[in-house]
Amino acid sequence: MHLRKPDTSLDERRGIVRLLDRVKEDDISLGELEEIGRALKKSDSVALRQLVRRLWLEQCGDHISRYVYLLDFFDPEEWLDQLIGMALKRRDLDDVARAAIRSTLEGQGVDVTHPPLSSRLSGSGNGGSLSLPQILGGGEEGLVAFMEEFLLYPREMRLTTVGQLARMDDPRVVSLLEIMLRTGDDDITAAALSALGYIRHQESAVLLRDHLSRTPELAGGPATRSLRRLSFLGIVPESAGEREAPLPFHRCCTGPPDGDGYRTLVFARSTGRDTLTYLSLQLHEVVGIVGARGSSSAPPAKLEDELIELQGEEEVVAVEPEYALCLLRDALYRNRETATELPAEFLVRSGMFNGEELVPAPYDPPLQPATTFPSLAAGCLDEVADDDFFSCWFMTDSRVYGYAAQWRELELKSGGSERSRGLEMILKRFCEELFSPQIERIHRRLLLVADLMGRAGRNPRLAENTAVLAGSIANFRLPYHFHPFLRRFALESMDMAREALEEGFEVDGIDTGEEWDD
């Protein structure tokens, strides 16, 4: 009989998370940092990937400097480009963070005395640090850097900045204004269309014509007026001809939603050469696209390495392009409905899609539970919950740590039936506070997991049982801590938080009261 090899990847990832959380402790010593570095090195690329993500997201300069210190435990070829990219792109680095990054880059032989690194790693970190020649000469990276800064401006300053671009006699400005047309902001769109009428180059006329062809309902507006202004100057777009169809997708992949409602979505498209353009997105079930990174000319081997890592860490699987585009359009719909701005890198790199592929539209999983919900046998429930697609089903909300601390106190101070009653009270309050307000989201999240199972060629019975589980939660009438799946979800979330607390991770303001005596 074939025995499945035990999966220890989740334990490994949890251990990495706890180690990286320890880095933020106020009284951590250099010796402890080195101990953490040696421990992370054992997990190699898995730990490095999490470390780099922390670096990109961290705001505190002291914490950034500690994370940068840990990079030295890994091969520089694996992280040097990321650190340079961080230095070029981030505008919120304080003096401590910039000094740490500068020192590390110098130690690797990088010249930080010349632009653009010199302007990034010295002086104050105020906005507006890039000149237009630097932006336009920096290719896509320069455009991303500009848009990240642009999105931090107040509304009035954004409109002023767009107006200033109209004074630049450089055809490359057109690419910057084209990106601004993707923001979905009506005022920014109108300002960009008006600015294009003052840029006396063929590229400007072509963009205006193409924009009108995609949005005929806007005829007579600023795009029409700008096109007419250019035509008076003898600048008319070349004959449109037949629009070229976009090149086919090379690969589309996605992972299941995790316990907080996040998932990864990856697109790779042929460029017609020996490289690929790819875009990796982080989606959230409520607000849509919250993160993006990619490349316009990645070697296929680099993409494959990226996907292998994602497969191991986030259970990413290959899917059909039509399905991946449905998820993308749904995310764009949620960005629009919640007024959540699209990430700068997505705005720059979304040129890899055609207009029809980016039309916002909600997506409802086709696999819906029946009107009657058969109860799941314990074995079927375990089969669903033990599946790899649920390996990241735990909540990271800070409130979880409070309940985990209460659980720990309960086990230290009581036993037997008192301990059992106390745990029931903790679970009851946990589920009331954290699950009740978002039970519809958990229901839909499970349907999306079932949907992906079916599309990824998993066992149809597994997908059906997952859909049944979703229906059972939506129609559960007892307190939620009595539902076996939600109970397990709560316990695993608290267990992970508890392990972090026992490793010394501290969370300000957690409730460690003894209300389990109720």
Side-chain angles (χ1 to χ4, degrees):
M1 180 176 66
H2 175 70
L3 294 177
R4 182 177 178 181
K5 183 179 179 181
D7 182 11
T8 60
S9 59
L10 178 58
D11 291 337
E12 181 183 34
R13 292 198 296 271
R14 286 182 171 182
I16 292 169
V17 169
R18 291 196 296 272
L19 287 170
L20 293 175
D21 284 340
R22 281 185 57 197
V23 174
K24 296 184 177 183
E25 294 176 4
D26 291 338
D27 56 350
I28 191 168
S29 66
L30 180 61
E32 289 172 319
L33 268 181
E34 290 179 345
E35 179 183 343
I36 291 172
R38 288 190 293 269
L40 290 173
K41 186 177 181 180
K42 295 177 182 178
S43 296
D44 200 16
S45 62
V46 177
L48 178 60
R49 185 179 181 85
Q50 295 296 327
L51 174 59
V52 169
R53 284 183 178 176
R54 291 287 184 107
L55 267 171
W56 277 98
L57 296 173
E58 183 57 54
Q59 303 293 317
C60 174
D62 286 335
H63 297 164
I64 289 174
S65 68
R66 296 173 190 175
Y67 286 139
V68 169
Y69 178 82
L70 293 177
L71 290 174
D72 280 336
F73 289 88
F74 300 88
D75 184 354
E77 291 185 2
E78 299 296 325
W79 54 260
L80 187 57
D81 288 345
Q82 285 284 340
L83 192 61
I84 292 173
M86 179 179 168
L88 291 173
K89 292 180 180 181
R90 289 192 58 172
R91 301 292 187 279
D92 56 346
L93 298 174
D94 62 17
D95 291 339
V96 174
R98 288 199 303 275
I101 293 172
R102 181 186 180 98
S103 175
T104 300
L105 292 179
E106 287 177 331
Q108 295 298 323
V110 177
D111 186 356
V112 298
T113 62
H114 291 87
L117 284 174
S118 60
S119 61
R120 288 288 177 274
L121 298 176
S122 62
S124 64
N126 297 331
S129 55
L130 271 181
S131 67
L132 195 62
Q134 285 178 308
I135 295 166
L136 300 177
E140 284 191 336
E141 294 300 325
L143 295 175
V144 170
F146 173 82
M147 288 305 298
E148 287 178 338
E149 190 168 299
F150 178 81
L151 293 176
L152 296 175
Y153 295 163
R155 189 171 192 79
E156 295 76 12
M157 188 174 176
R158 293 185 188 186
L159 295 173
T160 300
T161 301
V162 177
Q164 291 173 345
L165 293 176
R167 304 172 189 160
M168 306 300 298
D169 186 23
D170 190 323
R172 295 177 298 174
V173 172
V174 175
S175 61
L176 196 52
L177 290 169
E178 182 179 12
I179 293 168
M180 293 182 178
L181 294 177
R182 302 170 187 161
T183 61
D185 184 305
D186 292 341
D187 292 338
I188 298 298
T189 296
L193 293 172
S194 296
L196 285 167
Y198 292 94
I199 299 174
R200 303 178 181 184
H201 292 278
Q202 183 73 217
E203 293 85 349
S204 184
V206 170
L207 178 56
L208 287 165
R209 179 203 62 202
D210 291 347
H211 183 79
L212 278 173
S213 69
R214 292 191 298 268
T215 55
E217 69 277 7
L218 298 180
T224 302
R225 292 193 294 271
S226 289
L227 200 56
R228 188 181 299 123
R229 182 182 296 114
L230 291 175
S231 68
F232 289 155
L233 299 171
I235 302 171
V236 295
E238 298 175 351
S239 177
E242 186 174 348
R243 185 174 297 177
E244 292 185 7
L247 291 170
F249 285 103
H250 172 79
R251 186 80 65 86
C252 295
C253 301
T254 190
D258 66 13
D260 289 316
Y262 290 93
R263 73 189 306 177
T264 296
L265 181 63
V266 181
F267 292 92
R269 206 163 205 161
S270 172
T271 62
R273 302 181 295 276
D274 294 332
T275 58
L276 300 168
T277 178
Y278 84 91
L279 186 60
S280 178
L281 303 173
Q282 185 176 42
L283 314 182
H284 185 262
E285 62 189 9
V286 174
V287 297
I289 302 172
V290 294
R293 59 189 179 86
S295 172
S296 61
S297 57
K302 179 180 179 180
L303 174 66
E304 292 303 316
D305 290 343
E306 172 93 2
L307 292 178
I308 289 172
E309 289 188 9
L310 288 173
Q311 287 165 2
E313 295 176 21
E314 301 179 32
E315 302 300 330
V316 166
V317 294
V319 294
E320 292 296 322
E322 291 76 12
Y323 173 60
L325 289 171
C326 284
L327 298 180
L328 174 59
R329 287 191 286 263
D330 179 80
L332 291 169
Y333 171 80
R334 296 176 188 282
N335 280 94
R336 186 182 68 185
E337 292 300 300
T338 59
T340 301
E341 288 188 330
L342 293 164
E345 189 145 359
F346 176 79
L347 293 174
V348 173
R349 302 194 187 281
S350 59
M352 68 181 289
F353 303 101
N354 63 41
E356 293 77 11
E357 293 169 344
L358 294 176
V359 176
Y363 175 71
D364 293 318
L367 182 59
Q368 299 289 337
T371 54
T372 59
F373 305 98
S375 60
L376 282 174
C380 294
L381 178 61
D382 289 341
E383 181 185 20
V384 170
D386 289 339
D387 188 80
D388 290 342
F389 277 7
F390 288 91
S391 63
C392 291
W393 268 65
F394 44 83
M395 298 185 75
T396 59
D397 189 294
S398 60
R399 291 171 293 181
V400 175
Y401 290 90
Y403 288 108
Q406 292 175 31
W407 186 13
R408 182 175 61 178
E409 289 294 312
L410 170 67
E411 293 198 337
L412 289 173
K413 297 181 178 180
S414 65
S417 60
E418 182 184 356
R419 177 183 295 181
S420 298
R421 288 195 303 271
L423 179 57
E424 287 301 308
M425 293 304 303
I426 291 172
L427 284 169
K428 180 176 183 291
R429 291 197 310 275
F430 181 106
C431 292
E432 286 176 348
E433 181 180 6
L434 297 176
F435 288 166
S436 293
Q438 55 172 302
I439 204 66
E440 291 183 3
R441 287 169 52 187
I442 295 173
H443 168 248
R444 182 175 185 272
R445 202 180 300 161
L446 286 166
L447 289 178
L448 287 170
V449 173
D451 187 25
L452 181 58
M453 286 176 172
R455 294 177 182 276
R458 307 291 291 276
N459 187 332
R461 182 173 57 83
L462 182 63
E464 292 171 3
N465 284 339
T466 303
V468 170
L469 173 61
S472 73
I473 287 175
N475 290 269
F476 198 68
R477 296 294 174 256
L478 297 174
Y480 288 128
H481 68 291
F482 289 128
H483 191 287
F485 178 81
L486 293 177
R487 186 182 184 88
R488 173 170 172 164
F489 188 7
L491 284 169
E492 291 194 354
S493 298
M494 287 195 297
D495 186 54
M496 183 173 183
R498 183 176 168 178
E499 289 178 11
L501 292 173
E502 290 172 352
E503 291 285 341
F505 178 58
E506 296 182 2
V507 181
D508 293 336
I510 64 173
D511 179 12
T512 59
E514 300 180 2
E515 297 176 3
W516 37 265
D517 273 336
D518 292 353

